[in-house]
Amino acid sequence: MAEQEEPLIDDSIIYNSDVSFLEQVQRLYQLTVYGRWLFVCCLWLIISPACLWDLRSEIALWQEYFTWSAVRYGLFFHPLSTLGLAFCIAMTVLVLAWQSRNILVGLPQPEKKRLEKQVCRIRQQGPTHPLWKWVCQ
């Protein structure tokens, strides 16, 4: 099977006029978005159940007598659960803020350049690259 080899692409050359290149950059960006949300979903499916299970006695107490002091002390005396839930919440907020910024303001120039360079590397490597079939076909 003959592989098509593309010439090495200089970093200063950006294929803004190449529609397929821009589509491939967009697909790579979409894969990045899906990857980040998949990571957040995995956090919520793996870490948060263990943290909530550790807090089950505190949650039962909160359901009977909810006070902010009870929440504070419950979280204070379960530091690993608190850290796990805080990490899940923080990653969710970070991905939301990142995606909202990209939707409202657009991609920053360094991130566009990074995506374009990555598409160029994927094109150069060809079908042996793990992202080839999702980006270039």
Side-chain angles (χ1 to χ4, degrees):
M1 189 163 153
E3 290 185 39
Q4 294 179 346
E5 289 191 19
E6 295 184 12
L8 293 176
I9 299 169
D10 187 15
D11 289 343
S12 63
I13 299 174
I14 304 296
Y15 294 98
N16 288 331
S17 62
D18 187 3
V19 176
S20 68
F21 180 75
L22 293 176
E23 289 174 357
Q24 290 170 354
V25 171
Q26 183 63 30
R27 276 189 240 132
L28 182 61
Y29 171 72
Q30 285 298 322
L31 282 174
T32 305
V33 171
Y34 294 148
R36 288 182 184 217
W37 281 114
L38 180 66
F39 177 69
V40 167
C41 288
C42 288
L43 286 178
W44 281 104
L45 290 173
I46 295 169
I47 294 177
S48 66
C51 296
L52 291 173
W53 182 258
D54 187 39
L55 288 170
R56 67 189 180 279
S57 61
E58 305 299 329
I59 293 171
L61 179 68
W62 298 342
Q63 287 177 337
E64 283 188 41
Y65 306 103
F66 181 81
T67 63
W68 288 110
S69 296
V71 173
R72 180 178 167 215
Y73 283 108
L75 293 176
F76 181 76
F77 287 110
H78 294 87
L80 288 178
S81 297
T82 304
L83 186 64
L85 289 174
F87 184 66
C88 290
I89 293 168
M91 289 304 296
T92 303
V93 169
L94 285 172
V95 172
L96 275 172
W98 173 80
Q99 191 172 4
S100 298
R101 186 229 26 215
N102 291 343
I103 290 170
L104 296 174
V105 180
L107 282 172
Q109 204 58 28
E111 193 163 349
K112 282 183 189 176
K113 296 251 188 239
R114 183 190 63 79
L115 289 170
E116 290 169 349
K117 285 180 185 178
Q118 193 170 355
V119 168
C120 290
R121 285 193 301 265
I122 292 169
R123 282 179 156 190
Q124 286 173 359
Q125 188 172 340
T128 59
H129 195 282
L131 297 177
W132 169 263
K133 69 178 178 181
W134 287 290
V135 174
C136 295
Q137 289 185 350

